[in-house]
Amino acid sequence: MHDRMPMAIVPDAWAEWLDPRNHDVDQLRALMAPPVDGSLDLYAVSKAVDSVKNNGPELLEPLPAEG
């Protein structure tokens, strides 16, 4: 987990979250609940993600499992 991990909104709430007419701050904050257990995959990736100079799909590749 990264301390600057993006917020996750469940797909069923995308329209509500993106609605520019919705100004109900409490309602919108409620959509920012922590992800449901099992909805994210956690795995180690290359330290190349630490630099903003790096950008590409290879940054998402899991590192080999340590044995």
Side-chain angles (χ1 to χ4, degrees):
M1 299 286 275
H2 195 281
D3 63 347
R4 292 179 288 149
M5 185 177 129
M7 163 184 78
I9 302 287
V10 296
D12 290 347
W14 289 354
E16 185 177 358
W17 176 258
L18 295 172
D19 184 351
R21 297 165 296 174
N22 188 347
H23 299 286
D24 185 333
V25 175
D26 291 331
Q27 181 185 21
L28 292 169
R29 280 192 181 134
L31 299 176
M32 296 190 294
V36 176
D37 284 345
S39 65
L40 299 177
D41 294 328
L42 301 176
Y43 53 87
V45 294
S46 165
K47 292 192 182 295
V49 300
D50 293 340
S51 174
V52 296
K53 293 186 284 185
N54 301 319
N55 188 19
E58 67 280 359
L59 298 175
L60 301 175
E61 294 297 321
L63 290 178
E66 293 183 19

